[in-house]
Amino acid sequence: MPVKSIKELDIKGKRVFFRFDFNVPLDGAGIIKDATRITRALPTLNYAISQGAKCIIASHLGRPKGERKPEMSLKPVALKLQELLGKAVQFVEDCVGPDVERAVASMKDGDVLCLENLRFHAEETKNDLGFSEKLAALADVYVNDAFGTAHRAHCSTVGVPGLVKERGAGLLMKEELDNLEKALSSPQKPVLAIFGGAKVSDKIEVLKNIVSRMDTILIGGGMANTFLVCQGINMGSSRVEEDMIDTAKMILLSAREKGSNVFLPVDVVASTAIDNESAARTFNVRDLPANEMALDIGPLTVKEFVKEISKAGTIVWNGPMGVFESDAFKVGTMEIARAVADAPGFSLVGGGDSVRAVHQAGVSEKISYISTGGGAFMEFMEGKILPGVAALEV
Ligand code: AMP
């Protein structure tokens, strides 16, 4: 079912409840260490202000678990918003109650009001009807621009949109949905997925869902070890998930049946321990000594992966190719990031570590789309219906 964009909603002079993801990292003194999540909300807010909407802003920050924790207040976010929007942002020290109702009642068209952290109320994460009703009573229209929390069924993502007359997606949410659908529902062929990261078990549902839709799958990082072991290769002292070997076999079998090509590392950079960077050496995967562990993909693998990436019409990437936090084991991930950026195909990168990797490689500008959702991105890739998106459908 379709989700309306904020541009299709009548918001002029209306009280609009905005759910943003302003879960920003703060230092102990209330200084925002990275304001990306706030800057990404500006197009939606500037549009709403220009249309004369009364903008009521709600978000969570951290996990206060129903308690009022000053270090998780949204006040620094309101101040930052004021600076970035170049206009007054009023802050209220709660998200429901008489003070909030009074503040909303005195808003003029184009005004911006920031509510306090939704999760200071335990009801928020329980999708409590009474709390949803209190929030919904503040607004005529609901707009969700928080893709990062769309996989959570909370009051502010699921309860409130069900109780207001009009609902829709903010510009960032719409952009996320359009790009994820472009990569997964109607992709330009050949479609290639790159998976990496620590464990098969974390990505199993994504792999199962995606294997039949991909023409090519490249597997690197720690999770490749389990796939190599299931092919009878001895991975020395590498991290292997014994309980995932059968699952890995099943995935390889299902890929073969569906005609998709799976590439595993042919060589690796290894050492005797993760912190023993100076002993890093490259081995063919079949020659890995018993006391060595694979910590990055090797140069031959990079070459093979890059060749496939350059041929793809669509590329989806999640998970680093090695322990990219260490200089000795980051080369594979950096090379893949550059190859994805240089590829002519449509590229989608999602998940915390892969996003960090493309920034670290300095190529984020050349990626077609970088998803802002970690857990939500993964659940979308798993083929799950995100409750926060379903709640917007009309
Ligand atoms: P994930 O959150 O599942 O994407 O995993 C990311 C983590 O996987 C990063 O912290 C990497 O250091 C780690 N990782 C990647 N490759 C390996 C490997 N070969 N051995 C151990 N850890 C790895």
Side-chain angles (χ1 to χ4, degrees):
M1 271 197 287
V3 170
K4 276 190 189 171
S5 151
I6 185 172
K7 294 205 166 167
E8 298 169 76
L9 301 174
D10 177 17
I11 57 171
K12 190 170 170 43
K14 299 276 171 64
R15 300 170 303 157
V16 183
F17 184 99
F18 285 96
R19 176 53 158 108
F20 287 113
D21 179 3
F22 288 155
N23 185 23
V24 291
L26 290 168
D27 72 0
I31 306 289
I32 297 168
K33 291 197 278 186
D34 179 355
T36 310
R37 287 189 164 146
I38 305 177
T39 51
R40 296 294 294 262
L42 295 178
T44 296
L45 265 178
N46 278 320
Y47 171 76
I49 294 165
S50 74
Q51 296 298 302
K54 298 181 174 90
C55 306
I56 304 161
I57 293 173
S59 175
H60 76 286
L61 199 166
R63 292 189 173 162
K65 299 199 170 132
E67 279 175 46
R68 183 170 276 279
K69 296 211 167 131
E71 70 276 17
M72 293 180 199
S73 169
L74 279 168
K75 193 162 189 184
V77 171
L79 290 171
K80 189 75 189 171
L81 258 180
Q82 182 159 283
E83 176 194 321
L84 294 169
L85 288 170
K87 72 177 271 128
V89 172
Q90 197 193 338
F91 179 73
V92 263
E93 287 178 356
D94 207 338
C95 57
V96 288
D99 286 351
V100 177
E101 287 156 23
R102 258 192 303 276
V104 170
S106 63
M107 285 175 86
K108 298 191 180 60
D109 294 359
D111 276 359
V112 183
L113 174 74
C114 179
L115 308 179
E116 182 54 288
N117 194 340
L118 292 158
R119 291 193 190 165
F120 283 179
H121 292 262
E123 299 95 314
E124 157 66 2
T125 55
K126 294 181 185 142
N127 195 14
D128 174 87
L129 178 61
F131 188 64
S132 293
E133 282 171 343
K134 285 185 200 164
L135 291 170
L138 301 173
D140 310 301
V141 180
Y142 171 89
V143 171
N144 191 341
D145 211 21
F147 180 73
T149 48
H151 58 314
R152 306 277 185 222
H154 294 169
C155 292
S156 64
T157 57
V158 167
V160 182
L163 296 168
V164 292
K165 278 191 245 84
E166 279 234 80
R167 66 200 74 88
L171 301 176
L172 176 62
M173 173 73 100
K174 193 77 182 137
E175 192 179 84
E176 286 278 351
L177 297 175
D178 289 348
N179 280 291
L180 266 61
E181 265 158 30
K182 186 169 172 183
L184 295 169
S185 308
S186 52
Q188 190 80 36
K189 288 191 136 280
V191 196
L192 173 139
I194 311 166
F195 286 111
K199 294 195 273 172
V200 181
S201 47
D202 291 344
K203 315 269 161 96
I204 194 70
E205 294 306 322
V206 178
L207 283 165
K208 279 186 189 162
N209 180 47
I210 227 168
V211 81
S212 60
R213 306 167 186 224
M214 296 292 144
D215 299 301
T216 309
I217 301 176
L218 313 178
I219 301 178
M223 66 187 284
N225 301 335
T226 306
F227 281 92
L228 289 163
V229 166
C230 90
Q231 297 210 314
I233 294 170
N234 190 327
M235 288 306 291
S237 65
S238 306
R239 177 182 195 163
V240 172
E241 290 161 277
E242 300 290 341
D243 56 341
M244 281 287 135
I245 292 177
D246 285 344
T247 309
K249 261 186 204 157
M250 192 198 76
I251 287 168
L252 291 178
L253 199 68
S254 139
R256 199 172 308 140
E257 277 169 6
K258 307 268 165 46
S260 67
N261 267 322
V262 179
F263 288 78
L264 296 172
V266 288
D267 61 347
V268 291
V269 178
S271 183
T272 49
I274 280 194
D275 53 7
N276 193 1
E277 290 189 51
S278 59
R281 287 189 292 161
T282 302
F283 295 93
N284 182 296
V285 286
R286 297 190 180 272
D287 301 328
L288 195 64
N291 64 335
E292 298 265 352
M293 57 176 74
L295 295 165
D296 193 7
I297 54 173
L300 293 175
T301 307
V302 167
K303 208 168 160 194
E304 206 171 72
F305 282 13
V306 169
K307 195 169 148 203
E308 293 304 315
I309 291 167
S310 70
K311 291 190 290 192
T314 304
I315 303 156
V316 181
W317 181 19
N318 173 266
M321 296 290 99
V323 182
F324 76 111
E325 297 90 340
S326 304
D327 283 343
F329 312 118
K330 71 176 186 191
V331 179
T333 304
M334 295 299 115
E335 291 284 340
I336 294 306
R338 280 189 278 273
V340 172
D342 289 341
F346 174 82
S347 51
L348 170 68
V349 177
D353 278 320
S354 357
V355 174
R356 249 190 303 285
V358 292
H359 286 305
Q360 199 174 317
V363 297
S364 41
E365 297 298 321
K366 289 167 77 185
I367 304 293
S368 311
Y369 194 71
I370 299 178
S371 176
T372 55
F377 173 82
M378 292 307 278
E379 290 201 15
F380 191 98
M381 300 259 289
E382 286 171 9
K384 288 192 183 147
I385 292 169
L386 305 179
V389 176
L392 295 178
E393 289 174 352
V394 284

